[in-house]
Amino acid sequence: MAIAIALVVMVAASVLFHFLSPWWATPLASNWKQMDDTLTITLVITGAFFIGINLFLGYMIWRYRHRDGNRAAYAPSNHKLELWLIGGTTLGIIALLAPGLFVYADYVRAPRDAMVVEVVGQQWAWSYRFPGPGGRLGTTDVRFVGPGNPLGLNPDDPDGQDDIVITGGDLHLPLGRPVRVLARSKDVLHDFYVPEFRARMNMVPGMVTSFWFTPTRAGRFDVLCAQLCGVGHHNMRGGVVVDEPAAFAAWLRGQPTFAAAKAAQPAGAATVPATVAAGVSGLAEQGRALAQSKGCVACHSVDGAPGVGPTWKDLFGHTGVFADGSSAKVDDQYLRTEISEPQARVVKGFAPIMPKIPLSDDEVQALIAYIRSLSAQAPESGAGAGKASR
């Protein structure tokens, strides 16, 4: 009897919690009301089964409770009941799956006039690419990925020279225009997700996935990774800014093309030269590009803001304290060790989550130069910056 009462109370409490819960979906900001409708259908069907099954179970427990002198009738099968259960379950599953199949088919079939934007995920940062005036994105290949080419654009493809590459900051989109998103990953499985758009898509290494949406409300919206992509997953965040068409066009015109970005790089930036006679400022710029391409900036801020790892602002020259209580001054050798062997010593207050990234000595040297440039205590001259400590 107590179990029957508990089941009825559980059902009543669950229904009340659903209607009184403060956790509701974010306000819709795209054309995908079908996503909300599909979710509502799923909740109604599963909720009806939840209520019906548990109330029926409670009734059966109460109706056929133990009574002295009564004996249960043995009924090993009931073909009529089995047919009803099979039929009802089949209809319920069809009602759950069919709307989603139709919605998904439309979700991946973008309008012909949709604007194209590429989203690239990596641990733990987002990058974006727009086609230039030619309207065609250039080809890419992992062989071309480097400090000066973080998305791996083919430098010999003329279609890619006017591509607009955004490796930091927010993604801007125009209000009221369909957008086709091409999604790819540079390392592990990611998922580009904007809750207000009800839009998300897995990003699988080695392939390009796609979906589309139309922003219907101006403003800034959070970008999240909806797949557990590693220990820094929670820090893989970004923003989408939906502008009026004129404001978006002005923003897009202000972004550099792939060709312009290559021309603005110091000579040899794509490979980080072993000799640095050109000066420390050029090497630091190479380190900045490398930090972007390798995803370092996803965990290490450059403005003092807290992050997954220690901030690089004013790091050089300070004393680093490790989890075992030891300490060391942050100099070239300190940084080289921390970059090359991140698990050898764990900085106090931070988790040992930094992966070991394959880097050449010249790349490590460039990163050190960049970190030095962010620190007020770093020597004004470049002395020592170009020496590879071993």
Side-chain angles (χ1 to χ4, degrees), residues 54-77:
N54 282 285
L55 290 182
F56 175 75
L57 182 59
Y59 169 76
M60 297 300 288
I61 291 174
W62 172 81
R63 176 68 177 81
Y64 297 102
R65 65 191 182 277
H66 173 73
R67 294 185 180 90
D68 292 336
N70 289 349
R71 186 180 181 85
Y74 176 65
S77 63

Side-chain angles (χ1 to χ4, degrees), residues 14-252:
S14 298
V15 173
L16 285 174
F17 178 80
H18 171 74
F19 286 103
L20 300 179
S21 172
W23 295 296
W24 292 95
T26 55
L28 186 65
S30 81
N31 60 310
W32 285 114
K33 185 177 182 298
Q34 298 102 306
M35 295 291 186
D36 286 1
D37 294 341
T38 304
L39 178 60
T40 300
I41 292 172
T42 302
L43 288 174
V44 168
I45 294 175
T46 56
F49 273 85
F50 171 79
I51 294 172
I53 290 173
N54 282 285
L55 290 182
F56 175 75
L57 182 59
Y59 169 76
M60 297 300 288
I61 291 174
W62 172 81
R63 176 68 177 81
Y64 297 102
R65 65 191 182 277
H66 173 73
R67 294 185 180 90
D68 292 336
N70 289 349
R71 186 180 181 85
Y74 176 65
S77 63
N78 187 323
H79 297 299
K80 185 177 181 179
L81 178 60
E82 290 174 2
L83 289 174
W84 275 104
L85 288 175
I86 292 173
T89 302
T90 301
L91 291 176
I93 292 175
I94 292 174
L96 283 172
L97 295 181
L101 293 176
F102 285 104
V103 172
Y104 186 81
D106 190 27
Y107 186 62
V108 297
R109 188 172 52 242
R112 291 182 178 274
D113 61 343
M115 181 186 71
V116 175
V117 59
E118 182 185 59
V119 177
V120 181
Q122 70 178 85
Q123 293 175 316
W124 288 280
W126 302 105
S127 300
Y128 311 100
R129 181 165 63 117
F130 290 91
R136 293 172 59 89
L137 287 172
T139 56
T140 63
D141 194 292
V142 294
R143 296 174 300 168
F144 303 123
V145 173
N149 188 3
L151 302 190
L153 273 69
N154 183 349
D156 298 323
D157 186 350
D159 288 335
Q161 300 306 307
D162 60 355
D163 284 358
I164 298 168
V165 179
I166 313 296
T167 57
D170 295 333
L171 168 66
H172 286 243
L173 296 174
L175 179 66
R177 181 176 177 183
V179 178
R180 184 187 182 207
V181 177
L182 304 178
R184 63 183 174 97
S185 170
K186 291 172 60 177
D187 39 40
V188 300
L189 185 66
H190 296 288
D191 192 306
F192 182 77
Y193 178 40
V194 183
E196 286 85 354
F197 295 166
R198 307 296 189 267
R200 55 177 291 185
M201 180 58 69
N202 280 340
M203 309 168 75
V204 184
M207 66 182 295
V208 177
T209 54
S210 68
F211 65 101
W212 76 278
F213 60 90
T214 301
T216 57
R217 185 157 55 90
R220 185 183 186 279
F221 308 100
D222 287 333
V223 175
L224 311 175
C225 180
Q227 288 287 354
L228 183 57
C229 57
V231 290
H233 160 72
H234 66 285
N235 200 50
M236 191 167 175
R237 304 175 69 94
V240 172
V241 177
V242 178
D243 296 319
E244 294 292 338
F248 167 76
W251 172 84
L252 194 62

